[in-house]
Amino acid sequence: MGEAAEGRGRGKLILFGEHAVVHGYAAVACGLPLGAVACVRRGHSESFRVDHPAGSFEAEGKVLEAARGIVARFGLRLEELDGFVRLEVPVGAGMGSSAALAVALARAAQKLSGRGDAQTVEEAVSFAEGLFHGKASGIDQSAALGGGVFAFKRDGAGGPPTIEPVRAPTLRLVVAQVAPSASTAEMVASVSALAERRSSTAAIFEAIGQVATEGRQALEAGDLQAVGELMNINQGLLAALGVSIPAIDEACRLARDAGASGVKLTGAGGGGCVVALGPDEATTRAIQEGWEVRGWPVYTFTLES
Amino acid sequence: MGEAAEGRGRGKLILFGEHAVVHGYAAVACGLPLGAVACVRRGHSESFRVDHPAGSFEAEGKVLEAARGIVARFGLRLEELDGFVRLEVPVGAGMGSSAALAVALARAAQKLSGRGDAQTVEEAVSFAEGLFHGKASGIDQSAALGGGVFAFKRDGAGGPPTIEPVRAPTLRLVVAQVAPSASTAEMVASVSALAERRSSTAAIFEAIGQVATEGRQALEAGDLQAVGELMNINQGLLAALGVSIPAIDEACRLARDAGASGVKLTGAGGGGCVVALGPDEATTRAIQEGWEVRGWPVYTFTLES
């Protein structure tokens, strides 16, 4: 059977700036302590299993193709490996599960093979994310590889994005998946269609971009109350873009009633997850409990600076 | 007893642009078919009665002072009159009840006395609105006097506002008072405090101003679907300013579920009224019924062009 190699990749949350980021404005995101763990050893397997919070599946289609391509970059063939990936974040819920999976598997493959470097890992992940998402923004990949809080801005000329680490205070985050996730591509397309119809949409992107910039400053100043207030403002602006839904609105209300510093949808909207910032341990627990009563899967994260 | 004279003033709704209007952006408002009816005759009365949808009161304090000042401009003394005002819109709910009252009484006094002209009426109303609201924007007064849909923009130099009529298609509006009204002055102050704390607020005012401009264009183009969509966008932007409340959010959701073309709070927020645009008679009734089930007072208006 030989020695097993393990690799980890992080999930991600967007704290500020989704949708506007597509139009060239800065966003703020973070890598999560949870994400994906890949475990592989040399052997033989007919299939490659992915466990996730809601169940388990055998990789097929794009996932299988991505896994094959990732390990091939380290001179390995998936059929000559025995292993699995365990996802700690929900699949397709705007928490970067696919990038976490790709990073975890690439790192495990690198360790097992003793070949390739950080650059090879990045290339393998880019390849996989391209398969999963077409033209991916790169936010998920940055979070999955590096973790921490960071500011992200697309290069208008189509070059690589600007990624800058953001020094943040300890963040107590509670995340709930309040509805099935909408397709990110479809939500981005729906916002683009709105922007075509309504010229005022450009001013909303501008406002979201400014909120993200202020959010970064508030994080760097360690002002959690300001961070929360700006999350609330960001949520209103996302609602103005039409990507909030009743379940998201309800989750926001419940979290605010429980004392959240701020709460917003995270990701493309139309479904998926909300993220709340708790001012302290007790309030964070109250937010969590309020959401769990509604039957939503809830994840809590403490991001240490 | 002598002949009685009647005067009418209109209530108002802001369709687009509240709060941003304070910062120099255009807003769109309309005068309503309902408002206030004043009926006076020469006689003698110890008091002056105001009937309104939720009850009745004897004028005192500022209301009494305003009524005295209004009739005095037409050479009349309130004590030598017998009469009352009937308000058809709720008091202090963002529907311009005070301007409607002032216009109704001034017009009745003008008819009874045979003195003064349109200019005298306007002056009497300005005096009363100054008493009620301090430095009033002038939107309520314009609506109460003129009716119709109009664009309103403050003069940055402190001069008189620009008021332009807007040619609109027939509008089926449903209004519910979903919560006690917050003080307009306090809500404006809370938004100003937000603007002090968060520089991104300026971009939100800009976005609201652009939505109002697009809303005016949509009205002039007779595109009710666009008008509704812009109302929904406007509501998200108002939520971003922190002036929506759970009852307003709920009313918006109910109206959208019932098929409203658009729905938003109207006025300063923090309580008060929401306004929905119905695409047709049946949907308008469905919105009305959905709101009445919640126990909210509901008013429907059809504004003909």
Side-chain angles (χ1 to χ4, degrees), chain A residues 194 197-204 206-207 210-211 214 217-218 223 225-227 229-230 232-237 239-241 246 249 253 256-257, chain B residues 194 197-204 206-207 210-211 214 217-218 223 225-227 229-230 232-237 239-241 246 249 253 256-257:
Chain A
L194 183 74
R197 281 198 305 280
R198 308 284 157 246
S199 58
S200 50
T201 309
I204 302 176
E206 167 81 31
Q210 293 210 15
V211 167
E214 269 202 289
Q217 290 160 357
D223 185 346
Q225 206 182 335
V227 172
E229 183 167 72
L230 288 157
N232 290 336
I233 294 172
N234 198 157
Q235 169 61 22
L237 294 169
L241 292 179
D249 296 342
R253 186 180 59 73
R256 284 176 195 141
D257 287 353
Chain B
L194 183 73
R197 280 200 305 280
R198 308 283 156 245
S199 58
S200 49
T201 309
I204 301 176
E206 166 81 31
Q210 292 211 14
V211 167
E214 269 201 288
Q217 290 162 357
D223 184 346
Q225 205 182 335
V227 172
E229 182 167 75
L230 288 157
N232 290 336
I233 295 173
N234 199 157
Q235 169 61 23
L237 294 170
L241 292 180
D249 297 341
R253 187 179 58 73
R256 284 175 195 142
D257 287 353

Side-chain angles (χ1 to χ4, degrees), chain B residues 85-248:
Chain B
V85 175
R86 193 177 75 246
L87 287 172
E88 300 158 323
V89 292
V91 175
M95 289 173 73
S97 61
S98 68
L101 182 154
V103 169
L105 183 58
R107 284 178 171 161
Q110 187 197 7
K111 272 192 219 162
L112 189 71
S113 67
R115 289 169 60 174
D117 56 7
Q119 180 68 23
T120 321
V121 170
E122 277 200 44
E123 281 165 14
V125 175
S126 292
F127 153 78
E129 282 288 273
L131 265 181
F132 289 133
H133 301 297
K135 198 162 166 290
S137 72
I139 291 187
D140 291 20
Q141 185 171 336
S142 306
L145 286 164
V149 181
F150 58 94
F152 180 97
K153 196 170 188 297
R154 279 193 173 179
D155 176 46
T162 309
I163 297 167
E164 294 170 351
V166 173
R167 238 178 69 102
T170 298
L171 297 176
R172 289 185 183 81
L173 301 173
V174 194
V175 179
Q177 189 178 9
V178 302
S181 296
S183 146
T184 298
E186 278 172 29
M187 295 314 294
V188 168
S190 117
V191 171
S192 294
L194 183 73
E196 285 280 316
R197 280 200 305 280
R198 308 283 156 245
S199 58
S200 49
T201 309
I204 301 176
F205 292 146
E206 166 81 31
I208 291 176
Q210 292 211 14
V211 167
T213 300
E214 269 201 288
R216 175 183 179 168
Q217 290 162 357
L219 284 162
E220 286 174 337
D223 184 346
L224 287 181
Q225 205 182 335
V227 172
E229 182 167 75
L230 288 157
M231 287 170 71
N232 290 336
I233 295 173
N234 199 157
Q235 169 61 23
L237 294 170
L238 288 163
L241 292 180
V243 300
S244 196
I245 60 167
I248 292 172

Side-chain angles (χ1 to χ4, degrees), chain A residues 38-257:
Chain A
C39 189
V40 291
R41 69 181 78 206
R42 290 182 197 272
H44 176 79
S45 178
E46 296 289 324
S47 65
F48 187 73
R49 198 177 82 246
V50 180
D51 299 328
H52 60 97
S56 183
F57 62 86
E58 303 293 336
E60 57 175 22
K62 283 182 183 173
V63 179
L64 188 59
E65 195 185 337
R68 279 195 182 121
I70 288 168
V71 302
R73 276 167 172 75
F74 301 92
L76 301 171
R77 295 189 58 226
L78 198 64
E79 294 76 12
E80 295 169 5
L81 295 176
D82 181 21
F84 65 92
V85 175
R86 193 177 75 245
L87 288 173
E88 300 157 324
V89 292
V91 174
M95 290 173 73
S97 61
S98 68
L101 181 153
V103 168
L105 183 58
R107 283 178 172 163
Q110 186 197 7
K111 272 192 218 162
L112 188 72
S113 67
R115 288 169 61 173
D117 56 7
Q119 180 67 23
T120 321
V121 170
E122 277 200 44
E123 281 166 12
V125 175
S126 292
F127 153 77
E129 283 289 272
L131 265 181
F132 289 132
H133 301 297
K135 197 162 166 287
S137 73
I139 290 187
D140 291 19
Q141 186 170 335
S142 306
L145 286 164
V149 180
F150 59 94
F152 180 98
K153 196 171 188 298
R154 278 195 173 179
D155 176 46
T162 308
I163 296 167
E164 294 171 351
V166 173
R167 238 178 69 102
T170 298
L171 298 176
R172 289 187 184 81
L173 301 173
V174 194
V175 179
Q177 190 177 10
V178 302
S181 297
S183 146
T184 299
E186 278 172 28
M187 294 313 294
V188 169
S190 115
V191 171
S192 294
L194 183 74
E196 285 280 315
R197 281 198 305 280
R198 308 284 157 246
S199 58
S200 50
T201 309
I204 302 176
F205 293 146
E206 167 81 31
I208 291 176
Q210 293 210 15
V211 167
T213 300
E214 269 202 289
R216 176 184 178 167
Q217 290 160 357
L219 285 162
E220 285 174 338
D223 185 346
L224 287 182
Q225 206 182 335
V227 172
E229 183 167 72
L230 288 157
M231 288 171 70
N232 290 336
I233 294 172
N234 198 157
Q235 169 61 22
L237 294 169
L238 288 163
L241 292 179
V243 298
S244 197
I245 60 168
I248 292 171
D249 296 342
E250 187 193 350
C252 289
R253 186 180 59 73
L254 288 170
R256 284 176 195 141
D257 287 353

Side-chain angles (χ1 to χ4, degrees), chain B residues 55-80:
Chain B
S56 184
F57 62 86
E58 303 293 338
E60 57 174 24
K62 283 182 183 173
V63 179
L64 189 59
E65 194 184 338
R68 280 196 181 120
I70 289 168
V71 302
R73 277 169 170 75
F74 301 92
L76 301 170
R77 294 188 59 224
L78 197 64
E79 294 75 12
E80 295 169 5

